[in-house]
Structure formats: structure tokens, C-alpha cells
Amino acid sequence: MSSFDRIIVCETPFDVAAEYAALQRGACADGACAMFVGSVRDFNAGNGVTQLALEHYPGMTEKSLAGIIADARARWGLGRVHVIHRVGAMQVNEEIVFVGVTSPHRQAAFAACQYIMDRLKTEAPFWKRETVHAEDGASEERWVDARASDTAELEKWA
């Protein structure tokens, strides 16, 4: 892992503007910055979602994210790479994930940011549980399976 990489797995919300500023701080040689911020949506698989909870194995998760970042660095000339991923209970519209990448050129920054997200969605050891409105109006919890569309996105990097 490069000294310019930052991986945070936390239960607390993060400030996107502050994360952008941290990513840019000292990245004078990099003319490009690409970011992705994912948040909890209010609808999934035919039901309204009221809450999302993520579980993980501490240590194992960070190691997986470090490997994904190392693979991205091997593909593109990158400056700074920051990945923040929330765990625990989150409400609709709360941010779940931040991926930020700097590079001397925009093509590498865009590609690396998407690559990291595609790998994260399919390989990082997070388990999602949604609280949804059931057909009868009651609330129920369900585990969220990986989506075929995420796997298809990953295949383009092979």
C-alpha cells in the first residue's frame, strides 16, 4: 500500500467535501481527480427500503480493500487513493462509500475509480441487510445478494 493511500472502514458518517480536500492536499502533480460517492437508496428489488445495515470482518475487509487498491495502482499511474466504507446501520440518503483517485490524467483517474468500485461491489467482504416494507405493509429484514449486473461490470476488466 502506498503512503498516499487511505482506507477507512467506520460506523460514523463522513464529510464528502472534507474527503475531497484531503484527497487533493499535496497532490500537486495530479491534474485529475475522480470520485464516487454511494448512498442508501429508498427502493430495491421491488420494495421500499427504510434502512441498510452492513456487517464485515475487521482486518479482513481492510486487507481486501488494500489488495484492490494495489491492483489499481498496477494498472494506472495514480497519485492518491482514498476509500471510505461505512458499516453498521444507515438511513436512506446517508453515504455508504467514498472512492477518490488522483492521477496526472483524467482517463486513469476515471478508470481507476470505476475499477475500484466494481471490485469493491463484487469482492470486498461486506454483508448487507435491508429493512424493507413488505407487501402486507409490515417491515421485514432481508439479506441482499450480489447482483448479476455488478459481476458483469467486473468482467470488462478481465
Side-chain angles (χ1 to χ4, degrees):
M1 194 161 105
S2 166
S3 63
F4 295 119
D5 298 340
R6 188 167 86 169
I7 296 170
I8 299 172
V9 179
C10 60
E11 291 188 20
T12 57
F14 54 86
D15 179 334
V16 174
E19 295 308 325
Y20 171 72
L23 189 65
Q24 287 292 92
R25 197 170 305 119
C28 298
D30 294 335
C33 177
M35 298 182 309
F36 174 83
V37 178
S39 59
V40 179
R41 17 173 219 267
D42 67 353
F43 191 83
N44 189 35
N47 294 103
V49 174
T50 59
Q51 184 177 5
L52 178 68
L54 275 80
E55 296 179 13
H56 77 116
Y57 287 120
M60 179 184 192
T61 303
E62 292 83 354
K63 183 177 179 181
S64 174
L65 295 174
I68 292 168
I69 291 170
D71 290 347
R73 285 193 170 284
R75 288 175 173 250
W76 297 282
L78 303 177
R80 298 177 185 277
V81 180
H82 292 185
V83 175
I84 302 170
H85 208 296
R86 300 262 316 271
V87 294
M90 289 164 272
Q91 304 304 312
V92 170
N93 287 332
E94 284 190 61
E95 285 87 8
I96 302 169
V97 62
F98 174 94
V99 174
V101 176
T102 68
S103 179
H105 304 287
R106 72 181 184 280
Q107 295 88 346
F110 281 134
C113 190
Q114 185 173 3
Y115 174 82
I116 291 167
M117 268 311 303
D118 289 345
R119 295 270 312 271
L120 194 152
K121 287 287 289 182
T122 56
E123 298 174 13
F126 292 103
W127 294 271
K128 297 179 182 180
R129 187 178 66 247
E130 294 176 326
T131 303
V132 299
H133 296 294
E135 289 182 21
D136 64 3
S139 290
E140 66 180 37
E141 290 187 349
R142 67 180 179 201
W143 291 100
V144 180
D145 292 327
R147 295 191 325 226
S149 60
D150 292 330
T151 302
E153 282 296 308
L154 182 64
E155 289 174 0
K156 73 181 174 192
W157 301 108

